Amino acid sequence: NEAIDAAIAAGGTGGRDRALHLLESRWTWILLLFAVAAGVLWGTTRLVAPGLARQAAFSLPVDADRSRARGVMETLDRAFLKPSKLEPARRVALESRFKDMTQGLPGAHSFRLEFRASPVLGPNALALPDGTIVMTDELVALATGDEELLAVLAHEVGHVVQRDALRSVLQSTAVTLIVAFAMGDLVSLTSLAAALPT
C-alpha cells in the first residue's frame, strides 16, 4: 500500500483520475450514468437494431429465402400439417384469385398458395419467406366468403414483401449481441457466434 501511495504521490493524479474518482464517489453521478447507459441500451435495441435489421433483410438475396423456406415447409409437413382434403375445383378457384392478387407485386418473390389440413393449427394461414403461403382447410371452412380468405392471404403476402420473418430473426440476433456486449457476457457471444449460421 505504501508503494502505491508513493507512486501516486510521485506521478501525481491527473484530471482523468480525479474525474473518475468523482464519478465513482457521488450517488447522483452514478444514478445519472446508469440512466444514460440504460437509455443508450434502450435506444440501440428499440431504434437502431430494427433499422439495421430492415436494411440487412432487404440487402440479402431472395434465393436465401428459398432455401430456408424449403426446410421450414418440410418441418411443418412432418410436425403439424396433413394433405389437404379440399375439393380440387375449390383449390383451383382460390389459387386463381390468389394469382390475380399477387400478379405484379414488387420484388423477386414468386408467390405460391399451398393447401394443408391441420387439426393442430386449426383455421390459419402462414407465410414462408420465399413467397409460399400455406392456408389450412379449417380456415377455408370457417370463412363466409372468398373475400375474407383473400384478406387473410393479402396479410400473409405483406409479411413476405416486407420480409418480416428475416427481419425478426436479424433483429433478435442484433439485440442479443448488443445486450451481451453491454453486459460483457463473452460466453453468450461465443455461443451466439456458433449458432448464428443455423
Side-chain angles (χ1 to χ4, degrees):
N1 187 57
E2 287 83 7
I4 291 172
D5 286 343
I8 290 172
T13 55
R16 181 172 163 247
D17 294 334
R18 281 194 295 274
L20 187 59
H21 176 69
L22 176 70
L23 292 176
E24 291 177 336
S25 61
R26 304 273 196 286
W27 276 106
T28 51
W29 282 106
I30 291 171
L31 292 174
L32 177 66
L33 290 174
F34 180 78
V36 167
V40 167
L41 188 61
W42 180 88
T44 305
T45 56
R46 298 289 295 173
L47 304 173
V48 176
L52 290 175
R54 180 177 177 77
Q55 189 174 0
F58 283 99
S59 298
L60 292 171
V62 173
D63 290 341
D65 292 336
R66 290 187 186 104
S67 61
R68 274 194 321 277
R70 235 184 340 266
V72 170
M73 192 69 202
E74 289 169 5
T75 302
L76 287 171
D77 278 337
R78 275 196 312 270
F80 304 110
L81 305 176
K82 299 186 181 317
S84 174
K85 293 184 173 74
L86 280 180
E87 294 292 324
R90 181 75 173 121
R91 285 201 306 248
V92 168
L94 287 170
E95 284 169 349
S96 175
R97 296 203 63 187
F98 178 74
K99 186 176 180 181
D100 291 343
M101 181 180 73
T102 56
Q103 207 165 25
L105 286 177
H109 292 97
S110 53
F111 291 97
R112 190 175 86 245
L113 182 59
E114 292 280 336
F115 295 95
R116 297 288 192 277
S118 180
V120 176
L121 296 178
N124 218 326
L126 53 102
L128 300 183
D130 68 338
T132 302
I133 310 295
V134 180
M135 185 162 56
T136 63
D137 293 356
E138 292 82 359
L139 180 63
V140 176
L142 181 67
T144 58
D146 287 357
E147 297 305 316
E148 288 181 2
L149 295 173
L150 289 172
V152 172
L153 293 173
H155 173 87
E156 297 304 325
V157 166
H159 285 305
V160 176
V161 171
Q162 293 300 315
R163 303 192 84 174
D164 288 343
L166 182 57
R167 281 194 304 140
S168 177
V169 168
L170 291 171
Q171 185 174 329
S172 62
T173 302
V175 168
T176 303
L177 281 170
I178 291 164
V179 170
F181 180 76
M183 301 299 172
D185 188 358
L186 295 178
V187 174
S188 290
L189 286 173
T190 53
S191 299
L192 183 62
L196 200 53
T198 309

